[in-house]
């Protein structure tokens, strides 16, 4: 089956909201190249458990592509139409099971040497969609370094190149000030899923109370879900098929399969929490990978206005099979975790910067209980050092 | 122009786009060294023909992929003090090695050893379709089986020693040693109290989490036989050594040195793989593994120089099989994977050291990872059918 053969009845098995969207955009779906259409269908299928920002983004992409002149669209789609896709793949049920098709297509594009053409073709097509004017101001905090030895000249080096290194911060009330700034900002930008706090350890009741508008998630809080995913991974290890089989098994897990309803009744969050462990490498065993990946996925999918990411020490590195066997960590590696978190914080900055209009992001990475932080904001000259003693609130006023 | 050629040129163009940065970081790194000596060593000035029968070749790949950012770029140089300050001044450095094939470790390594971009499923252990370097070498120069070896991580790589090509095959292949399997065989049924502790050396990459258990008692016996006959090691000696080391890569280097001692092979390939822990997202563990690989490469070169069988007649090639994804590519997650197919993931470097090679030399023109096989063939005096181009700076 080719996209040109799609009709309204093709989506009969979709949920009401997904079917309605698909039918509404049927002219575009029928035009899309074979290699791309299933990716759109996957997003459409997931609309019922998508964040508002994802829904807006999908609608905007579809509307923009649909509004291109026929000549322009044909020119942009031509490299993707030229991809050679075997009949066996085209005959898959990619309308109802697009994810399986996408996995198979990806492997085929690599093995046939067409991945570069696909990559450049999709980049050119999506570049034709006008950037969305985002006037929101984002406030992002990253806390890291619990229990680690910190060398002042060597910490936060990547981030310090893009912001102001604060070397005399007053740490005593730091966390309290961050929560207060978060709460104030979240109150101004009240919207569903606009404010988040992700912790690589445990969230105290006091902190939870201080952030009434935020979605609060912790590594420990998701331990049961993680344990169920690890059990599935253990089962996959004892069967044949290797890494690909493992990945296929994980990505096919639904929130129901891992009983995500035990964590939250919100289906949007159920899917997010499940996919944080089933569509990733690392968060299943390392809390630092969890915080980085969660920050990335929340930035990409929920596009929050306020975000706090707190890295905690991950377990020490052991034999992977041992680490898969239990969610319990016999020992921790604060120093390695600090280094992981420094890189994670840098990636968190890249990800939040990517979704924010120039001059609208205030980003601070603070080494917990220390006087060292980097702030990147509209008023922060890049690659500079500030040794003036100040509180976090004052730093936000001066450089945010 | 053929589709394949167009694709390859496309990748090279992408590589050129990042070449300015690469040139900058390397110039900064070695300063005057790169412009210094064009002199060949005294031994290199001798007739190449006279050297051929006595030349030895060792190829070390950084399997798992390593980026510039963590190696030769300015911020990565602290991770590779040995490569940068000890080995690089003794060799020729290629700052742009492009891999235009599939960025999976087994298939990419197979492509390096066949000199052809292989297209098979990375996660299925199978022999490459095209003849390997080892087969060209042994058939072309009529070398015995003990003269060519591969030391590699477990999964998939057990088939890398020879191809399924009808004119070649296992008869001309290299001996393949999988140190983790050797250790698993040695530990099987062992009464050693620290079996559990040693199992850390058996793990594979995060993409292939479980080391493949030995299939049968025959399989175990074959490995134990290899331990004793090829490496001249008793089970007890091997376990004792394993206790004293920290990682699978160290075990691989130990095996390499044991082979050098017992057989002095003329062609040996070694794949270091610890750094593929990057797939777990733990940056510190990835960098630790790079630092370890840096140290192990220096130890290997030192072993070469202190062994009369190898000293002054060995060429060592060190190269990552490919890079990893760029920090800025939204399709990836930075150092963690190599899935985007972007220029940074495809472009890496190679360092070549040997008596006939120029020292302190940096080559910025792009070459491809499949160019190594025909180049080694030219150096050692055998033909290959690789579509790669001979690297003129190395012959």
């Amino acid at each position: 089956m080719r996209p040109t053969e799609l009709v309204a009845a093709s989506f009969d098995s979709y949920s009401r909201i997904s079917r309605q969207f698909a039918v509404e955009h049927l002219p575009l779906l029928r035009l899309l190249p074979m290699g791309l259409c299933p990716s759109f269908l996957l997003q459409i299928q997931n609309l019922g458990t998508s964040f508002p920002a994802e829904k807006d983004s999908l609608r905007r992409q579809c509307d923009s592509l649909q509004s291109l002149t026929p000549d322009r669209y044909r020119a942009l789609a031509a490299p993707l139409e030229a991809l050679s896709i075997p009949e066996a793949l085209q005959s898959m049920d990619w309308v109802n099971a697009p994810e399986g098709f996408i996995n198979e297509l990806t492997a085929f594009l690599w093995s046939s040497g067409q991945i570069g053409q696909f990559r450049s073709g999709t980049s050119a097509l999506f570049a034709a969609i006008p950037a969305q004017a985002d006037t929101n101001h984002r406030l992002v905090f990253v806390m890291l370094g619990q229990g680690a030895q910190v060398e002042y000249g060597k910490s936060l080096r990547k981030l310090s190149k893009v912001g102001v290194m604060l070397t005399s911060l007053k740490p005593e009330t730091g966390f309290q000030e961050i929560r207060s700034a978060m709460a104030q900002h979240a109150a101004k930008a009240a919207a569903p899923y606009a404010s988040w706090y992700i912790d690589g350890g445990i969230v105290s009741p006091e902190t939870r109370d201080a952030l009434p508008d935020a979605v609060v998630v912790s590594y420990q809080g998701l331990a049961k879900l993680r344990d169920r995913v690890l059990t599935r991974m253990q089962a996959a290890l004892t069967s044949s098929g290797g890494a690909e089989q493992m990945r296929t098994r994980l990505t096919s897990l639904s929130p129901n399969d891992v009983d995500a309803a035990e964590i939250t009744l919100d289906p949007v969050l159920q899917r997010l929490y499940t996919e944080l462990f089933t569509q990733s490498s690392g968060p299943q065993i390392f809390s630092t990978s969890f915080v980085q990946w969660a920050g990335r996925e929340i930035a990409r999918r929920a596009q929050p206005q306020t975000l706090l990411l707190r890295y905690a020490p991950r377990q020490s590195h052991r034999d992977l099979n041992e680490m898969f066997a239990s969610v319990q960590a016999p020992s921790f590696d604060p120093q390695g975790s600090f280094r992981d978190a420094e890189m994670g914080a840098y990636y968190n900055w890249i990800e939040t910067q990517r979704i924010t209009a120039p001059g609208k992001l205030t980003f601070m990475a603070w080494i917990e209980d220390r006087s060292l932080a980097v702030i990147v904001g509209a008023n922060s000259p890049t690659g500079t050092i500030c040794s003036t003693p100040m509180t976090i609130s004052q730093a936000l006023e001066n450089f945010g | 122009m053929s589709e394949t050629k167009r694709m390859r040129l496309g990748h090279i163009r992408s590589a050129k786009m990042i070449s300015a940065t690469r040139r900058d970081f390397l110039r900064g790194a070695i300063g005057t060294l790169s412009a210094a000596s064009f002199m060949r060593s005294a031994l290199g000035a001798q007739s190449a023909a006279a050297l051929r029968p006595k030349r030895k070749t060792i190829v070390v790949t950084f399997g798992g992929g390593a980026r510039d950012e963590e190696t030769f770029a300015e911020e990565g140089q602290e991770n590779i003090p040995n490569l940068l300050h000890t080995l690089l001044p003794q060799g020729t450095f290629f700052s742009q090695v492009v891999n235009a094939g599939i960025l999976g470790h087994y298939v990419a390594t197979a492509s390096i050893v066949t000199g052809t971009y292989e297209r098979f499923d990375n996660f299925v252990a199978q022999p490459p379709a095209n003849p390997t370097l080892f087969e060209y070498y042994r058939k072309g120069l009529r070398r015995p089986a003990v003269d060519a070896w591969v030391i590699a991580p477990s999964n998939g790589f057990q088939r890398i020693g020879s191809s399924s090509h009808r004119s070649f095959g296992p008869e001309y292949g290299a001996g393949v040693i999988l140190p983790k399997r050797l250790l698993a065989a040695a530990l099987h049924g062992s009464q050693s109290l620290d079996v559990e502790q040693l199992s850390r050396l058996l793990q594979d990459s995060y993409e292939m989490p479980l080391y493949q258990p030995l299939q049968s008692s025959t399989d175990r016996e074959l490995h134990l036989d290899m331990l004793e006959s090829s490496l001249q090691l008793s089970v007890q000696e091997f376990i004792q050594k394993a206790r004293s080391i920290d990682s699978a890569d160290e075990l691989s280097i130990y095996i390499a040195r044991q082979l050098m001692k017992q057989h002095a092979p003329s062609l040996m390939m070694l794949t270091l793989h610890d750094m593929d822990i990057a797939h777990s997202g733990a940056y510190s563990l990835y960098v630790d593994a790079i630092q370890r690989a840096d140290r192990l490469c220096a130890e290997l070169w030192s072993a070469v120089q202190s062994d009369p069988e190898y000293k002054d007649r060995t060429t060592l090639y060190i190269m990552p099989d490919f890079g990893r994804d760029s920090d800025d590519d939204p399709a990836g997650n930075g150092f963690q994977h190599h899935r985007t197919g972007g220029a940074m993931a495809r472009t890496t470097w190679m360092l070549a050291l040997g008596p006939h090679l120029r020292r302190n030399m940096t080559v910025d023109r792009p070459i491809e990872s499949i160019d190594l096989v025909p180049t080694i063939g030219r150096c050692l005096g055998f033909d290959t059918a690789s579509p790669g181009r001979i690297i003129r700076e190395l012959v």
Side-chain angles (χ1 to χ4, degrees), chain A residues 109-121:
Chain A
L109 291 174
W110 274 101
S111 64
S112 61
Q114 298 182 96
I115 194 74
Q117 188 181 340
F118 180 79
R119 182 181 152 86
S120 58

Side-chain angles (χ1 to χ4, degrees), chain A residues 111 113 243 281 289 296 340 347, chain B residues 7 119 207 280 284 327 332 336:
Chain A
S111 64
S281 299
S289 302
R296 172 201 155 98
D340 296 349
Y347 284 178
Chain B
M7 190 182 79
R119 297 288 181 198
E207 285 196 316
S280 72
S284 59
D327 290 343
Q336 191 176 10

Side-chain angles (χ1 to χ4, degrees), chain A residues 297-312:
Chain A
E297 286 301 281
I298 289 163
R300 184 179 71 82
R301 294 185 51 193
Q303 301 189 5
Q305 306 302 314
T306 314
L307 177 61
L308 168 59
L309 301 164
R310 191 182 192 193
Y311 288 86

Side-chain angles (χ1 to χ4, degrees), chain B residues 66-78:
Chain B
R67 308 191 304 178
D68 288 345
E69 283 88 334
E70 287 81 34
T71 53
F72 282 96
E74 188 182 353
E75 64 266 42
Q77 289 169 11
E78 64 186 15

Side-chain angles (χ1 to χ4, degrees), chain A residues 140 142-144 156 159 292 309 311 338-352 363-366:
Chain A
V140 179
V142 177
M143 295 168 62
L144 66 161
L156 298 173
L159 277 172
Q292 187 270 320
L309 301 164
Y311 288 86
F338 178 46
R339 205 161 181 199
D340 296 349
E342 283 184 291
M343 195 61 169
Y346 178 62
Y347 284 178
N348 295 139
W349 170 72
I350 290 175
E351 289 139 12
T352 47
F363 181 100
M364 176 184 272
W366 175 48

